[in-house]
Amino acid sequence: AFGHKAEASIYSSDLFSLAGTIILWVLWPSFQSAVAGTEEKQMLAAANTFLSLCSSTLAFAIVSRFLNGGSRFNVVHLQPTRS
C-alpha cells in the first residue's frame, strides 16, 4: 500500500542501491563494448552506452522533480517498487 511504513526509504538500502548504481556506471560501458568487434566499434559502443546512461539519468531527475512538485528529486523514485 502506498505510504505504508514498509515502503519507506531505509538508509542502508539506499546506500547499497547507490553503490550498485556506481558499479554499473563504471563497468557497464566496457561490458557492452567487449563483444563489439574492432577497436573502433568498441569505442563507439562504450560512448553510446555512456550517452544512454547520462540521458536516462537526466530524464529520471526531470521526472522525479516533476512528481515532487518542483522540489528536489527523490532517490526512492529510482528504486523498484514491490507489489
Side-chain angles (χ1 to χ4, degrees), residues 1-80:
F2 182 74
H4 191 269
K5 69 176 187 172
E7 294 291 324
S9 176
I10 300 172
Y11 179 75
S12 61
S13 67
D14 289 345
L15 192 61
F16 281 115
S17 176
L18 179 63
T21 301
I22 291 172
I23 290 171
L24 282 176
W25 264 85
V26 170
L27 297 178
W28 195 254
S30 63
F31 175 76
Q32 287 291 96
S33 65
V35 294
T38 65
E39 187 175 338
E40 181 181 346
K41 288 182 181 179
Q42 288 178 350
M43 291 299 292
L44 185 60
N48 284 339
T49 304
F50 183 72
L51 182 62
S52 66
L53 284 169
C54 290
S55 60
S56 64
T57 302
L58 183 62
F60 155 72
I62 291 169
V63 170
S64 181
R65 285 189 73 159
F66 177 72
L67 290 175
N68 279 338
S71 63
R72 296 177 9 178
F73 66 87
N74 190 351
V75 177
V76 176
H77 290 157
L78 184 62
Q79 298 173 351

